């Protein structure tokens, strides 16, 4: 007899929710966590970074106060110890809440330690063997560390160790100009650091459209961030208390000297020390666990959810994975990953909200399409608030009239994009929203206006 009906490894975004659902359905469940309850989002990802972004926003707005007629008669100072304490006070209740709720969940046994497979239906934790016919992997991912000569000789930072920083780095050099790197870049610049971003690709967040990348690069540079694209880091070296980062760019060598280095060049799944070979679980070349459209691995009775399956890298994709697995197992509802629409945000200020295809993807698809854009300077709400950077863009399928995608880079872009996303899920023609009466003055009121101004994508 197996020890449990189910074992869940990892307490990220899908594991705890799945444990609650399985227990409610009468299953006995063991859940294993090796480090911090709540995983990345709660401890070293979304929650702490957005708390820090909020402090940085306050600092920036305080510096801009005179633009609003508000006079502050002293220099704006950022107390990094207080910034970190505020962040910690937001993170701790979330982490403790996950831990407490799992530990008092009847039918669920919590194990604290590193889990490894020793057979298809068996794992070992702290020397104890546990078995179950169904095993769910929610082991997440961690910062990928590139092999750069000299990197092992310097004390670099990652998104995890950044959480302990309670001082102001004089000059932060960030390797990686994508989502995670850019949030830290703007935040630390606003706290008062010199910041250099070094990106290998020809532009920042290269997955986005060129106009989106360029607008973001512009507003970061306007704030004084040194953005270096097309730049390969070929070595790092200690120089007294400083760090030298050697860059090769368009055939030329140069060096940036800073005080701290943050590595933000991507993520790698936590699958290398999980004993996957003992269970015969297949991964791809980068270590992501291969799953089908319902998140089943190649081994019957084993599922992989969240970042470790490579089907998403967000809290909402991990949560959606839990919903898909629970619906299939408990509700006789054959939900699938392929039913979801790509959606995410970048939390710079202003933020980028994204749904569906980019303009480049639409062009590549060859679909006849319509496009509408609006500069945030023409959005009254943004104008009134003095936050006019960015633009919004919507793409529509010319034949079906359904929305193909949107990029909302501007004030509340992370929120505004949801009205477009919901229209996409409804598979409704854009004319439905074009006729909707939105509230004035909001950013969202311009979505119907934009849909009235669609033009053929040339
Ligand atoms: C800096 C940063 C900012 C981010 N911001 C956002 C954002 O704003 N919005 C957003 O949607 N996403 C954001 N993300 C991504 C988001 O945090 C993750 O996609 C999300 O946390 C989903 O993670 P998960 O459920 O796959 O697992 P995780 O949350 O990574 O949890 C996995 C858990 O498994 C445990 N574990 C791993 N291996 C074992 C083992 N062998 N035995 C026992 N336990 C194990 C780990 O300790 C961990 O607690 C951000 C990420 C970072 C790094």
């Amino acid at each position: 007899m197996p020890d449990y009906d189910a074992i869940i490894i990892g307490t990220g975004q899908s594991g705890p929710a799945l444990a609650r659902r399985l227990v409610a359905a009468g299953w006995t469940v063991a859940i294993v966590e090796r480090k911090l309850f709540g995983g990345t989002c709660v401890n070293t990802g979304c929650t702490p970074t957005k708390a820090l972004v909020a402090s940085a926003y306050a600092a920036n707005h305080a510096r801009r106060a005179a633009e609003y007629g508000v006079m502050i008669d002293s220099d704006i100072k950022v107390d990094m110890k207080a910034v970190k304490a505020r962040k910690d006070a937001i993170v701790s209740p979330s982490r403790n809440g996950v831990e407490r709720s799992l530990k008092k969940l009847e039918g669920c046994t919590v194990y604290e330690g590193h889990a490894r497979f020793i057979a298809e239906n068996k794992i070992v934790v702290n020397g104890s063997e546990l078995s179950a016919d169904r095993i769910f992997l929610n082991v997440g991912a961690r910062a990928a560390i590139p092999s750069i000569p000299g990197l092992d000789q310097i004390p670099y930072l990652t998104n995890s160790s950044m959480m302990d920083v309670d001082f102001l780095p004089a000059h932060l050099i960030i390797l990686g100009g994508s989502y995670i790197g850019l949030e830290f870049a703007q935040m630390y610049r606003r706290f008062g650091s010199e910041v250099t971003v070094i990106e290998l690709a020809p532009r920042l967040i290269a997955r986005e459209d060129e106009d989106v990348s360029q607008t973001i690069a512009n507003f970061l540079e306007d704030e004084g961030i040194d953005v270096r694209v097309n730049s390969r880091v070929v070595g790092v070296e200690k120089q007294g208390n400083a760090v030298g980062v050697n860059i090769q760019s368009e055939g030329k060598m140069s060096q940036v000297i800073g005080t701290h280095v943050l590595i933000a060049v991507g993520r790698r799944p936590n699958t290398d020390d999980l004993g996957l070979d003992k269970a015969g679980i297949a991964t791809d070349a980068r270590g992501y666990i291969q799953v089908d459209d319902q998140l089943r691995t190649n081994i019957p009775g084993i599922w992989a959810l969240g970042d470790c399956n490579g089907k998403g890298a967000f809290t909402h994709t991990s949560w959606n994975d839990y919903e898909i697995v629970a619906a299939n197992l408990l509700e006789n509802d054959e939900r699938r990953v392929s039913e979801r629409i790509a959606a995410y945000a970048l939390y710079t200020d202003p933020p980028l909200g994204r749904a569906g295809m980019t303009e480049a993807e639409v062009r590549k698809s060859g679909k006849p399409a319509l496009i509408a854009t609006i500069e945030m300077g023409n959005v009254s709400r943004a104008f009134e608030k003095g936050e006019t950077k960015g633009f919004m863009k919507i793409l529509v399928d010319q034949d079906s009239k359904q929305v193909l995608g949107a990029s909302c880079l501007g004030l509340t872009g992370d929120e505004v994009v949801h009205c477009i996303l919901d229209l996409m899920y409804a598979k409704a023609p854009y004319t439905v929203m074009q006729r909707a009466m939105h509230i004035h003055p909001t950013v969202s009121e311009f979505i119907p206006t934009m849909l009235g101004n669609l033009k053929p994508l040339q």
Side-chain angles (χ1 to χ4, degrees), residues 13 33-34 39-41 50 115 138-139 159 307 313-315 318:
Q13 284 305 301
E33 175 53 58
R34 69 177 178 189
T40 309
C41 174
K50 270 78 251 182
N138 177 216
V139 292
N159 69 290
D307 290 9
F314 302 100
T315 285
S318 182

Side-chain angles (χ1 to χ4, degrees), residues 76-109:
I76 305 302
K77 294 194 190 75
V78 177
D79 176 346
M80 290 302 290
K81 285 200 171 13
V83 167
K84 178 178 178 289
R86 176 182 182 275
K87 181 270 289 177
D88 289 342
I90 291 166
V91 167
S92 302
S94 300
R95 176 173 56 236
N96 297 340
V98 175
E99 179 170 357
R100 216 177 306 120
S101 70
L102 285 174
K103 285 185 173 167
K104 66 177 194 208
L105 187 63
E106 232 170 279
C108 177
T109 310

